[in-house]
Each structure stands twice: as structure tokens, then as C-alpha cells.
Amino acid sequence: DAGVIQSPRHEVTEMGQEVTLRCKPISGHNSLFWYRQTMMRGLELLIYFNNNVPIDDSGMPEDRFSAKMPNASFSTLKIQPSEPRDSAVYFCASAAATGSNQPQHFGDGTRLSIL
Amino acid sequence: GESVGLHLPTLSVQEGDNSIINCAYSNSASDYFIWYKQESGKGPQFIIDIRSNMDKRQGQRVTVLLNKTVKHLSLQIAATQPGDSAVYFCAHELPPNNFNKFYFGSGTKLNVKP
């Protein structure tokens, strides 16, 4: 079974550039989550969607961050303009939201470095 | 200035010994709990889960214990192997939770010595 697929695996770019991270959730899952992981703050929930609709974006740090889910099989997290402090590993996870008590399944992340 | 990061608790065990990783949660309404394993360069991987109507659940070499009275969760790994070296996270869910949102602990690093 294909798990959650994230791309790119690594991204290095200069500050001020636009960064787009991509996620393909597990087929049939209808909840999708974006996290950021750093040594300073650990794993932080940024935003999550249900049936392609954003439910809670209170974890998005600034207006420079935006996320979309145009369909059930694709989501993007965009940072524009990027800053060095955005450097982190960004994870996407999906879950089958038919009722609760379903685990989230994570992708292997995008390691983002902003120079 | 000097940066300060999260200080992950570290558990060091000898290969072949049993490991116990602990987690405390604060909300007595939490009704579903998961342990995740995160290896270097990878995303958190589901290990085992337990619902609040249970106090013990066993998997292959792993056992999760739930003590709702003191709001404590533990993961026991039998005959720990070098491949078990990773960071382990507990996560819990609060009802009503129609979207499978979880609250994650800060993690424990397990170091297995050969």
C-alpha cells in the first residue's frame, strides 16, 4: 500500500523565495494534517483539512504560510516569502476520519533549509 | 547567542533488555492513545494504539499500558534490538474528534547499546 507521499524530500533555497511543499494522502483518507518539526519546538500542528476543507489553521505561524487542498489526493503548503527561521522538517499526515479512533499516518517529510 | 532546544529525555538500554517508555497526559477526557516511532530522517510511524476502555494491549514485542487514574501511558518493548533506536512519541485524542486530531508529547529518545 502506498503511504503518504511528500515532495520534495529536501529543499534548499534562499530567503525571500517562494517554497511549495506537496503531499499526496493515502487513498480514501479524508483528513489531512500539516506539521512542522524543529529541535526548538518539537512537532507542531500547522493546519488540518477534512474533506478538502480547512478546519483549523490556528497553528499557521504567519500570513506567509498558506495551505490548500484542491482535491482529495493533493495538498500544498506554501511559504512566501521564506525566511531562515522557516527551516525545519515539514510533515504531512492523513487519517480516515470516518468516526474517531483512527491513527494518523505520516509521510517521510520535507527537510527545508532557507539560507 | 546560544540556542536552546527541546531536551528530549533519553533512555539507554542494553540490547536484549526490556525498555519502558513513559508518557503523562493531562486531560482525563482523552479516549484514544497512540505510540509512534520516529527514526532518523523518517516520519513518525504508528506502532500501537489503545482505547480508554482498555488498560493493556499487546502487539509484537510491544505492550501499551494505560492507567487512567493517574493519566499515564507506557510503552514496553521486549528484548530491545538496535533497530528499536528511535524517538518515541505518545499521542492522544480528545472527544469529540471527528477529524482525528491528535496531541503529541515531546518524545523520548531510545538508545540501544549493542
mmCIF file of all heavy atoms in Angstrom, chain B residues 44-90:
data_model
loop_
_atom_site.group_PDB
_atom_site.id
_atom_site.type_symbol
_atom_site.label_atom_id
_atom_site.label_comp_id
_atom_site.label_asym_id
_atom_site.label_seq_id
_atom_site.Cartn_x
_atom_site.Cartn_y
_atom_site.Cartn_z
ATOM 1 N N PRO B 44 7.067 9.995 11.725
ATOM 2 C CA PRO B 44 6.577 9.128 12.796
ATOM 3 C C PRO B 44 5.793 7.945 12.220
ATOM 4 O O PRO B 44 4.975 8.108 11.318
ATOM 5 C CB PRO B 44 5.672 10.057 13.605
ATOM 6 C CG PRO B 44 6.193 11.440 13.337
ATOM 7 C CD PRO B 44 6.628 11.402 11.901
ATOM 8 N N GLN B 45 6.065 6.782 12.772
ATOM 9 C CA GLN B 45 5.438 5.549 12.292
ATOM 10 C C GLN B 45 4.567 4.964 13.400
ATOM 11 O O GLN B 45 5.015 4.805 14.534
ATOM 12 C CB GLN B 45 6.531 4.560 11.890
ATOM 13 C CG GLN B 45 6.034 3.217 11.400
ATOM 14 C CD GLN B 45 7.177 2.244 11.151
ATOM 15 O OE1 GLN B 45 8.306 2.482 11.561
ATOM 16 N NE2 GLN B 45 6.888 1.144 10.489
ATOM 17 N N PHE B 46 3.323 4.644 13.071
ATOM 18 C CA PHE B 46 2.395 4.048 14.029
ATOM 19 C C PHE B 46 2.940 2.722 14.556
ATOM 20 O O PHE B 46 3.407 1.878 13.796
ATOM 21 C CB PHE B 46 1.053 3.820 13.323
ATOM 22 C CG PHE B 46 0.049 3.022 14.120
ATOM 23 C CD1 PHE B 46 -0.779 3.649 15.016
ATOM 24 C CD2 PHE B 46 -0.055 1.656 13.947
ATOM 25 C CE1 PHE B 46 -1.711 2.916 15.745
ATOM 26 C CE2 PHE B 46 -0.974 0.913 14.660
ATOM 27 C CZ PHE B 46 -1.809 1.548 15.559
ATOM 28 N N ILE B 47 2.913 2.555 15.896
ATOM 29 C CA ILE B 47 3.343 1.298 16.494
ATOM 30 C C ILE B 47 2.143 0.537 17.035
ATOM 31 O O ILE B 47 1.905 -0.609 16.687
ATOM 32 C CB ILE B 47 4.332 1.533 17.659
ATOM 33 C CG1 ILE B 47 5.556 2.303 17.215
ATOM 34 C CG2 ILE B 47 4.753 0.199 18.254
ATOM 35 C CD1 ILE B 47 6.459 2.658 18.384
ATOM 36 N N ILE B 48 1.417 1.185 17.941
ATOM 37 C CA ILE B 48 0.329 0.509 18.629
ATOM 38 C C ILE B 48 -0.614 1.569 19.194
ATOM 39 O O ILE B 48 -0.193 2.696 19.482
ATOM 40 C CB ILE B 48 0.868 -0.408 19.753
ATOM 41 C CG1 ILE B 48 -0.232 -1.327 20.291
ATOM 42 C CG2 ILE B 48 1.531 0.388 20.868
ATOM 43 C CD1 ILE B 48 0.294 -2.454 21.182
ATOM 44 N N ASP B 49 -1.878 1.195 19.330
ATOM 45 C CA ASP B 49 -2.844 2.125 19.902
ATOM 46 C C ASP B 49 -3.639 1.433 21.007
ATOM 47 O O ASP B 49 -3.601 0.208 21.166
ATOM 48 C CB ASP B 49 -3.781 2.691 18.824
ATOM 49 C CG ASP B 49 -4.576 1.607 18.076
ATOM 50 O OD1 ASP B 49 -4.413 0.412 18.388
ATOM 51 O OD2 ASP B 49 -5.352 1.978 17.159
ATOM 52 N N ILE B 50 -4.357 2.250 21.774
ATOM 53 C CA ILE B 50 -5.200 1.697 22.834
ATOM 54 C C ILE B 50 -6.348 2.668 23.082
ATOM 55 O O ILE B 50 -6.157 3.891 23.041
ATOM 56 C CB ILE B 50 -4.395 1.440 24.133
ATOM 57 C CG1 ILE B 50 -5.239 0.677 25.151
ATOM 58 C CG2 ILE B 50 -3.857 2.733 24.728
ATOM 59 C CD1 ILE B 50 -4.427 0.120 26.321
ATOM 60 N N ARG B 51 -7.520 2.133 23.295
ATOM 61 C CA ARG B 51 -8.676 2.948 23.612
ATOM 62 C C ARG B 51 -8.869 3.013 25.116
ATOM 63 O O ARG B 51 -8.386 2.144 25.849
ATOM 64 C CB ARG B 51 -9.921 2.394 22.908
ATOM 65 C CG ARG B 51 -9.841 2.565 21.397
ATOM 66 C CD ARG B 51 -10.957 1.897 20.641
ATOM 67 N NE ARG B 51 -10.921 2.224 19.230
ATOM 68 C CZ ARG B 51 -10.072 1.702 18.337
ATOM 69 N NH1 ARG B 51 -9.193 0.819 18.715
ATOM 70 N NH2 ARG B 51 -10.120 2.077 17.068
ATOM 71 N N SER B 52 -9.598 4.009 25.569
ATOM 72 C CA SER B 52 -9.681 4.255 27.009
ATOM 73 C C SER B 52 -10.476 3.202 27.762
ATOM 74 O O SER B 52 -10.455 3.171 28.992
ATOM 75 C CB SER B 52 -10.277 5.642 27.276
ATOM 76 O OG SER B 52 -11.554 5.739 26.688
ATOM 77 N N ASN B 53 -11.173 2.337 27.039
ATOM 78 C CA ASN B 53 -11.911 1.271 27.723
ATOM 79 C C ASN B 53 -11.034 0.044 27.979
ATOM 80 O O ASN B 53 -11.518 -0.995 28.430
ATOM 81 C CB ASN B 53 -13.167 0.877 26.933
ATOM 82 C CG ASN B 53 -12.837 0.353 25.545
ATOM 83 O OD1 ASN B 53 -11.701 0.394 25.104
ATOM 84 N ND2 ASN B 53 -13.858 -0.133 24.865
ATOM 85 N N MET B 54 -9.741 0.187 27.676
ATOM 86 C CA MET B 54 -8.792 -0.890 27.901
ATOM 87 C C MET B 54 -7.670 -0.376 28.791
ATOM 88 O O MET B 54 -7.432 0.831 28.861
ATOM 89 C CB MET B 54 -8.196 -1.381 26.582
ATOM 90 C CG MET B 54 -9.214 -1.817 25.563
ATOM 91 S SD MET B 54 -8.476 -2.122 23.953
ATOM 92 C CE MET B 54 -7.505 -3.573 24.289
ATOM 93 N N ASP B 55 -6.961 -1.285 29.457
ATOM 94 C CA ASP B 55 -5.801 -0.845 30.224
ATOM 95 C C ASP B 55 -4.506 -1.499 29.745
ATOM 96 O O ASP B 55 -3.419 -1.138 30.194
ATOM 97 C CB ASP B 55 -5.997 -1.080 31.727
ATOM 98 C CG ASP B 55 -6.390 -2.504 32.046
ATOM 99 O OD1 ASP B 55 -6.147 -3.389 31.215
ATOM 100 O OD2 ASP B 55 -6.949 -2.722 33.141
ATOM 101 N N LYS B 56 -4.639 -2.418 28.803
ATOM 102 C CA LYS B 56 -3.441 -3.079 28.287
ATOM 103 C C LYS B 56 -3.729 -3.583 26.891
ATOM 104 O O LYS B 56 -4.820 -4.076 26.603
ATOM 105 C CB LYS B 56 -3.064 -4.249 29.193
ATOM 106 C CG LYS B 56 -1.831 -5.023 28.762
ATOM 107 C CD LYS B 56 -1.528 -6.124 29.762
ATOM 108 C CE LYS B 56 -0.299 -6.939 29.370
ATOM 109 N NZ LYS B 56 -0.003 -7.991 30.369
ATOM 110 N N ARG B 57 -2.709 -3.462 26.050
ATOM 111 C CA ARG B 57 -2.838 -4.020 24.701
ATOM 112 C C ARG B 57 -1.463 -4.479 24.255
ATOM 113 O O ARG B 57 -0.481 -3.776 24.458
ATOM 114 C CB ARG B 57 -3.384 -2.968 23.735
ATOM 115 C CG ARG B 57 -3.738 -3.531 22.378
ATOM 116 C CD ARG B 57 -4.764 -2.703 21.666
ATOM 117 N NE ARG B 57 -5.214 -3.403 20.469
ATOM 118 C CZ ARG B 57 -5.145 -2.921 19.235
ATOM 119 N NH1 ARG B 57 -4.652 -1.717 19.039
ATOM 120 N NH2 ARG B 57 -5.563 -3.631 18.210
ATOM 121 N N GLN B 58 -1.422 -5.648 23.644
ATOM 122 C CA GLN B 58 -0.138 -6.210 23.242
ATOM 123 C C GLN B 58 -0.029 -6.328 21.744
ATOM 124 O O GLN B 58 -0.991 -6.652 21.046
ATOM 125 C CB GLN B 58 0.045 -7.590 23.887
ATOM 126 C CG GLN B 58 0.322 -7.529 25.373
ATOM 127 C CD GLN B 58 0.615 -8.889 25.972
ATOM 128 O OE1 GLN B 58 -0.288 -9.709 26.079
ATOM 129 N NE2 GLN B 58 1.854 -9.114 26.348
ATOM 130 N N GLY B 59 1.187 -6.057 21.260
ATOM 131 C CA GLY B 59 1.499 -6.283 19.859
ATOM 132 C C GLY B 59 2.711 -7.203 19.784
ATOM 133 O O GLY B 59 3.026 -7.906 20.745
ATOM 134 N N GLN B 60 3.381 -7.138 18.670
ATOM 135 C CA GLN B 60 4.584 -7.952 18.546
ATOM 136 C C GLN B 60 5.731 -7.272 19.275
ATOM 137 O O GLN B 60 6.178 -6.207 18.887
ATOM 138 C CB GLN B 60 4.932 -8.126 17.071
ATOM 139 C CG GLN B 60 6.052 -9.094 16.814
ATOM 140 C CD GLN B 60 6.312 -9.300 15.329
ATOM 141 O OE1 GLN B 60 5.855 -8.511 14.507
ATOM 142 N NE2 GLN B 60 7.025 -10.334 14.981
ATOM 143 N N ARG B 61 6.186 -7.836 20.344
ATOM 144 C CA ARG B 61 7.268 -7.314 21.202
ATOM 145 C C ARG B 61 6.923 -6.011 21.910
ATOM 146 O O ARG B 61 7.751 -5.474 22.644
ATOM 147 C CB ARG B 61 8.585 -7.111 20.421
ATOM 148 C CG ARG B 61 9.377 -8.337 20.155
ATOM 149 C CD ARG B 61 10.851 -8.024 19.855
ATOM 150 N NE ARG B 61 11.041 -7.038 18.823
ATOM 151 C CZ ARG B 61 11.641 -5.865 19.017
ATOM 152 N NH1 ARG B 61 12.102 -5.523 20.209
ATOM 153 N NH2 ARG B 61 11.785 -5.023 18.011
ATOM 154 N N VAL B 62 5.767 -5.447 21.669
ATOM 155 C CA VAL B 62 5.391 -4.200 22.335
ATOM 156 C C VAL B 62 4.096 -4.381 23.113
ATOM 157 O O VAL B 62 3.199 -5.122 22.702
ATOM 158 C CB VAL B 62 5.251 -3.018 21.339
ATOM 159 C CG1 VAL B 62 6.590 -2.681 20.722
ATOM 160 C CG2 VAL B 62 4.215 -3.318 20.274
ATOM 161 N N THR B 63 4.033 -3.663 24.236
ATOM 162 C CA THR B 63 2.831 -3.651 25.073
ATOM 163 C C THR B 63 2.579 -2.216 25.485
ATOM 164 O O THR B 63 3.518 -1.509 25.872
ATOM 165 C CB THR B 63 3.020 -4.517 26.329
ATOM 166 O OG1 THR B 63 3.295 -5.862 25.937
ATOM 167 C CG2 THR B 63 1.758 -4.496 27.189
ATOM 168 N N VAL B 64 1.349 -1.791 25.386
ATOM 169 C CA VAL B 64 0.991 -0.462 25.877
ATOM 170 C C VAL B 64 0.106 -0.642 27.102
ATOM 171 O O VAL B 64 -0.817 -1.463 27.111
ATOM 172 C CB VAL B 64 0.303 0.397 24.790
ATOM 173 C CG1 VAL B 64 -0.913 -0.290 24.210
ATOM 174 C CG2 VAL B 64 -0.058 1.757 25.335
ATOM 175 N N LEU B 65 0.419 0.124 28.144
ATOM 176 C CA LEU B 65 -0.350 0.111 29.375
ATOM 177 C C LEU B 65 -0.951 1.489 29.593
ATOM 178 O O LEU B 65 -0.270 2.506 29.408
ATOM 179 C CB LEU B 65 0.552 -0.250 30.565
ATOM 180 C CG LEU B 65 1.203 -1.635 30.525
ATOM 181 C CD1 LEU B 65 2.113 -1.812 31.741
ATOM 182 C CD2 LEU B 65 0.164 -2.735 30.489
ATOM 183 N N LEU B 66 -2.211 1.518 29.967
ATOM 184 C CA LEU B 66 -2.907 2.778 30.203
ATOM 185 C C LEU B 66 -3.437 2.799 31.630
ATOM 186 O O LEU B 66 -4.192 1.910 32.032
ATOM 187 C CB LEU B 66 -4.059 2.934 29.212
ATOM 188 C CG LEU B 66 -4.969 4.146 29.393
ATOM 189 C CD1 LEU B 66 -4.181 5.447 29.225
ATOM 190 C CD2 LEU B 66 -6.144 4.087 28.415
ATOM 191 N N ASN B 67 -3.042 3.814 32.377
ATOM 192 C CA ASN B 67 -3.555 3.997 33.741
ATOM 193 C C ASN B 67 -4.318 5.308 33.758
ATOM 194 O O ASN B 67 -3.731 6.390 33.863
ATOM 195 C CB ASN B 67 -2.400 4.018 34.740
ATOM 196 C CG ASN B 67 -2.892 4.084 36.187
ATOM 197 O OD1 ASN B 67 -3.953 4.651 36.470
ATOM 198 N ND2 ASN B 67 -2.138 3.518 37.094
ATOM 199 N N LYS B 68 -5.631 5.206 33.649
ATOM 200 C CA LYS B 68 -6.449 6.408 33.543
ATOM 201 C C LYS B 68 -6.533 7.145 34.873
ATOM 202 O O LYS B 68 -6.778 8.345 34.907
ATOM 203 C CB LYS B 68 -7.859 6.033 33.052
ATOM 204 C CG LYS B 68 -7.861 5.508 31.614
ATOM 205 C CD LYS B 68 -9.260 5.165 31.150
ATOM 206 C CE LYS B 68 -9.788 3.905 31.798
ATOM 207 N NZ LYS B 68 -9.029 2.697 31.390
ATOM 208 N N THR B 69 -6.328 6.434 35.959
ATOM 209 C CA THR B 69 -6.421 7.070 37.275
ATOM 210 C C THR B 69 -5.363 8.153 37.439
ATOM 211 O O THR B 69 -5.645 9.240 37.945
ATOM 212 C CB THR B 69 -6.268 6.014 38.382
ATOM 213 O OG1 THR B 69 -7.277 5.016 38.212
ATOM 214 C CG2 THR B 69 -6.391 6.650 39.752
ATOM 215 N N VAL B 70 -4.155 7.837 37.007
ATOM 216 C CA VAL B 70 -3.064 8.803 37.126
ATOM 217 C C VAL B 70 -2.705 9.430 35.782
ATOM 218 O O VAL B 70 -1.709 10.146 35.683
ATOM 219 C CB VAL B 70 -1.822 8.154 37.775
ATOM 220 C CG1 VAL B 70 -2.139 7.734 39.202
ATOM 221 C CG2 VAL B 70 -1.321 6.965 36.962
ATOM 222 N N LYS B 71 -3.495 9.153 34.752
ATOM 223 C CA LYS B 71 -3.275 9.715 33.421
ATOM 224 C C LYS B 71 -1.861 9.431 32.936
ATOM 225 O O LYS B 71 -1.072 10.335 32.645
ATOM 226 C CB LYS B 71 -3.601 11.208 33.412
ATOM 227 C CG LYS B 71 -5.069 11.502 33.766
ATOM 228 C CD LYS B 71 -5.479 12.925 33.417
ATOM 229 C CE LYS B 71 -5.016 13.919 34.457
ATOM 230 N NZ LYS B 71 -5.757 13.803 35.726
ATOM 231 N N HIS B 72 -1.575 8.163 32.842
ATOM 232 C CA HIS B 72 -0.238 7.728 32.476
ATOM 233 C C HIS B 72 -0.320 6.609 31.449
ATOM 234 O O HIS B 72 -1.153 5.701 31.538
ATOM 235 C CB HIS B 72 0.497 7.242 33.732
ATOM 236 C CG HIS B 72 1.909 6.842 33.494
ATOM 237 N ND1 HIS B 72 2.281 5.545 33.199
ATOM 238 C CD2 HIS B 72 3.053 7.575 33.486
ATOM 239 C CE1 HIS B 72 3.581 5.499 33.035
ATOM 240 N NE2 HIS B 72 4.081 6.699 33.213
ATOM 241 N N LEU B 73 0.584 6.698 30.494
ATOM 242 C CA LEU B 73 0.658 5.729 29.397
ATOM 243 C C LEU B 73 2.098 5.230 29.311
ATOM 244 O O LEU B 73 3.036 6.022 29.488
ATOM 245 C CB LEU B 73 0.293 6.452 28.102
ATOM 246 C CG LEU B 73 0.071 5.691 26.821
ATOM 247 C CD1 LEU B 73 -1.228 4.921 26.898
ATOM 248 C CD2 LEU B 73 0.024 6.675 25.651
ATOM 249 N N SER B 74 2.281 3.960 29.079
ATOM 250 C CA SER B 74 3.647 3.469 28.910
ATOM 251 C C SER B 74 3.731 2.505 27.730
ATOM 252 O O SER B 74 2.745 1.870 27.354
ATOM 253 C CB SER B 74 4.148 2.777 30.181
ATOM 254 O OG SER B 74 3.440 1.585 30.409
ATOM 255 N N LEU B 75 4.907 2.455 27.167
ATOM 256 C CA LEU B 75 5.209 1.530 26.070
ATOM 257 C C LEU B 75 6.334 0.619 26.532
ATOM 258 O O LEU B 75 7.397 1.102 26.926
ATOM 259 C CB LEU B 75 5.641 2.307 24.821
ATOM 260 C CG LEU B 75 6.059 1.459 23.626
ATOM 261 C CD1 LEU B 75 4.847 0.758 23.016
ATOM 262 C CD2 LEU B 75 6.772 2.313 22.565
ATOM 263 N N GLN B 76 6.076 -0.654 26.498
ATOM 264 C CA GLN B 76 7.089 -1.625 26.867
ATOM 265 C C GLN B 76 7.555 -2.355 25.616
ATOM 266 O O GLN B 76 6.731 -2.828 24.836
ATOM 267 C CB GLN B 76 6.526 -2.616 27.890
ATOM 268 C CG GLN B 76 6.066 -1.958 29.175
ATOM 269 C CD GLN B 76 5.488 -2.944 30.169
ATOM 270 O OE1 GLN B 76 5.409 -4.139 29.908
ATOM 271 N NE2 GLN B 76 5.092 -2.445 31.332
ATOM 272 N N ILE B 77 8.858 -2.402 25.438
ATOM 273 C CA ILE B 77 9.449 -3.115 24.307
ATOM 274 C C ILE B 77 10.255 -4.274 24.868
ATOM 275 O O ILE B 77 11.176 -4.069 25.667
ATOM 276 C CB ILE B 77 10.359 -2.193 23.473
ATOM 277 C CG1 ILE B 77 9.591 -0.946 23.012
ATOM 278 C CG2 ILE B 77 10.913 -2.952 22.264
ATOM 279 C CD1 ILE B 77 10.465 0.084 22.303
ATOM 280 N N ALA B 78 9.896 -5.462 24.470
ATOM 281 C CA ALA B 78 10.591 -6.651 24.953
ATOM 282 C C ALA B 78 11.817 -6.946 24.090
ATOM 283 O O ALA B 78 11.809 -6.722 22.877
ATOM 284 C CB ALA B 78 9.645 -7.849 24.938
ATOM 285 N N ALA B 79 12.873 -7.424 24.749
ATOM 286 C CA ALA B 79 14.091 -7.830 24.035
ATOM 287 C C ALA B 79 14.518 -6.765 23.029
ATOM 288 O O ALA B 79 14.563 -6.997 21.820
ATOM 289 C CB ALA B 79 13.871 -9.172 23.345
ATOM 290 N N THR B 80 14.815 -5.595 23.541
ATOM 291 C CA THR B 80 15.118 -4.434 22.697
ATOM 292 C C THR B 80 16.266 -4.731 21.739
ATOM 293 O O THR B 80 17.281 -5.321 22.119
ATOM 294 C CB THR B 80 15.457 -3.229 23.573
ATOM 295 O OG1 THR B 80 14.492 -3.123 24.624
ATOM 296 C CG2 THR B 80 15.431 -1.956 22.765
ATOM 297 N N GLN B 81 16.083 -4.276 20.514
ATOM 298 C CA GLN B 81 17.065 -4.512 19.460
ATOM 299 C C GLN B 81 17.638 -3.184 18.964
ATOM 300 O O GLN B 81 17.009 -2.139 19.121
ATOM 301 C CB GLN B 81 16.382 -5.239 18.300
ATOM 302 C CG GLN B 81 15.757 -6.561 18.678
ATOM 303 C CD GLN B 81 14.882 -7.136 17.576
ATOM 304 O OE1 GLN B 81 14.712 -6.544 16.513
ATOM 305 N NE2 GLN B 81 14.308 -8.305 17.841
ATOM 306 N N PRO B 82 18.815 -3.212 18.340
ATOM 307 C CA PRO B 82 19.378 -1.950 17.809
ATOM 308 C C PRO B 82 18.419 -1.215 16.887
ATOM 309 O O PRO B 82 18.398 0.020 16.867
ATOM 310 C CB PRO B 82 20.633 -2.438 17.064
ATOM 311 C CG PRO B 82 21.035 -3.685 17.783
ATOM 312 C CD PRO B 82 19.743 -4.349 18.194
ATOM 313 N N GLY B 83 17.599 -1.941 16.152
ATOM 314 C CA GLY B 83 16.626 -1.305 15.261
ATOM 315 C C GLY B 83 15.516 -0.572 15.983
ATOM 316 O O GLY B 83 14.749 0.160 15.354
ATOM 317 N N ASP B 84 15.439 -0.741 17.287
ATOM 318 C CA ASP B 84 14.436 -0.019 18.083
ATOM 319 C C ASP B 84 14.915 1.379 18.445
ATOM 320 O O ASP B 84 14.121 2.183 18.963
ATOM 321 C CB ASP B 84 14.106 -0.791 19.367
ATOM 322 C CG ASP B 84 13.455 -2.131 19.094
ATOM 323 O OD1 ASP B 84 12.689 -2.241 18.111
ATOM 324 O OD2 ASP B 84 13.719 -3.091 19.862
ATOM 325 N N SER B 85 16.178 1.675 18.190
ATOM 326 C CA SER B 85 16.704 3.008 18.491
ATOM 327 C C SER B 85 15.951 4.038 17.650
ATOM 328 O O SER B 85 15.934 3.962 16.420
ATOM 329 C CB SER B 85 18.203 3.084 18.183
ATOM 330 O OG SER B 85 18.942 2.265 19.058
ATOM 331 N N ALA B 86 15.343 4.991 18.332
ATOM 332 C CA ALA B 86 14.499 5.987 17.659
ATOM 333 C C ALA B 86 13.967 6.939 18.720
ATOM 334 O O ALA B 86 14.245 6.788 19.904
ATOM 335 C CB ALA B 86 13.329 5.313 16.934
ATOM 336 N N VAL B 87 13.194 7.906 18.281
ATOM 337 C CA VAL B 87 12.434 8.757 19.201
ATOM 338 C C VAL B 87 10.999 8.239 19.218
ATOM 339 O O VAL B 87 10.408 7.980 18.169
ATOM 340 C CB VAL B 87 12.471 10.234 18.772
ATOM 341 C CG1 VAL B 87 11.596 11.077 19.704
ATOM 342 C CG2 VAL B 87 13.905 10.752 18.779
ATOM 343 N N TYR B 88 10.452 8.096 20.405
ATOM 344 C CA TYR B 88 9.097 7.572 20.570
ATOM 345 C C TYR B 88 8.186 8.682 21.095
ATOM 346 O O TYR B 88 8.508 9.365 22.069
ATOM 347 C CB TYR B 88 9.109 6.381 21.533
ATOM 348 C CG TYR B 88 9.773 5.171 20.925
ATOM 349 C CD1 TYR B 88 11.166 5.058 20.900
ATOM 350 C CD2 TYR B 88 9.024 4.160 20.335
ATOM 351 C CE1 TYR B 88 11.790 3.962 20.305
ATOM 352 C CE2 TYR B 88 9.627 3.062 19.746
ATOM 353 C CZ TYR B 88 11.011 2.971 19.736
ATOM 354 O OH TYR B 88 11.623 1.893 19.145
ATOM 355 N N PHE B 89 7.051 8.836 20.417
ATOM 356 C CA PHE B 89 6.066 9.838 20.796
ATOM 357 C C PHE B 89 4.778 9.160 21.235
ATOM 358 O O PHE B 89 4.314 8.223 20.588
ATOM 359 C CB PHE B 89 5.714 10.744 19.614
ATOM 360 C CG PHE B 89 6.831 11.613 19.128
ATOM 361 C CD1 PHE B 89 7.654 11.201 18.090
ATOM 362 C CD2 PHE B 89 7.045 12.858 19.697
ATOM 363 C CE1 PHE B 89 8.677 12.019 17.634
ATOM 364 C CE2 PHE B 89 8.069 13.684 19.239
ATOM 365 C CZ PHE B 89 8.883 13.251 18.207
ATOM 366 N N CYS B 90 4.189 9.693 22.306
ATOM 367 C CA CYS B 90 2.810 9.311 22.592
ATOM 368 C C CYS B 90 1.910 10.410 22.034
ATOM 369 O O CYS B 90 2.319 11.568 21.912
ATOM 370 C CB CYS B 90 2.583 9.138 24.088
ATOM 371 S SG CYS B 90 2.780 10.630 25.080
#
